[in-house]
Amino acid sequence: MRNKIEITKKNNKIHFYFISSGKRYYMFSQSFSKGVYEFFRNGRSEAELYSYKLWHKNPRLDKTIEKIPMYIRYVIKEENAA
């Protein structure tokens, strides 16, 4: 099954979730940014993030994409420890 990143928007925040093997794991939240919301609103596969090529077009989106792999590793590590 493909790993996927999904978001929800609530109270002017964007909440990021990692979907793997049918389970949904909370990763982090950040302040709302239209560019980030538009990029992630329909969900993105983990592979799409690793092949992202539009660097330097939107600094907020760049920073978000850069930190997602770290959170994915943390979620997987915590899941394996439980």
Side-chain angles (χ1 to χ4, degrees):
M1 176 174 259
R2 285 182 9 178
N3 294 333
K4 190 173 182 180
I5 308 298
E6 290 184 351
I7 63 168
T8 59
K9 178 183 172 268
K10 188 173 184 182
N11 297 331
N12 212 25
K13 294 267 188 194
I14 301 174
H15 307 281
F16 288 80
Y17 297 90
F18 179 62
I19 312 298
S20 179
S21 300
K23 294 182 182 177
R24 185 177 184 188
Y25 303 98
Y26 171 79
M27 290 194 301
F28 63 94
S29 297
Q30 70 181 38
S31 297
F32 180 82
S33 166
K34 185 177 181 194
V36 173
Y37 178 78
E38 290 295 321
F39 184 78
F40 285 101
R41 75 175 173 193
N42 294 322
R44 292 288 181 157
S45 72
E46 187 178 8
E48 285 180 286
L49 296 181
Y50 290 123
S51 65
Y52 180 73
K53 299 206 183 321
L54 298 173
W55 297 107
H56 308 297
K57 302 266 185 213
N58 181 336
R60 181 71 246 155
L61 181 58
D62 292 351
K63 283 190 82 78
T64 301
I65 289 174
E66 285 174 352
K67 69 183 179 180
I68 286 177
M70 175 186 64
Y71 281 96
I72 290 173
R73 285 191 302 273
Y74 175 76
V75 165
I76 291 170
K77 179 181 166 190
E78 287 298 310
E79 179 62 19
N80 291 335

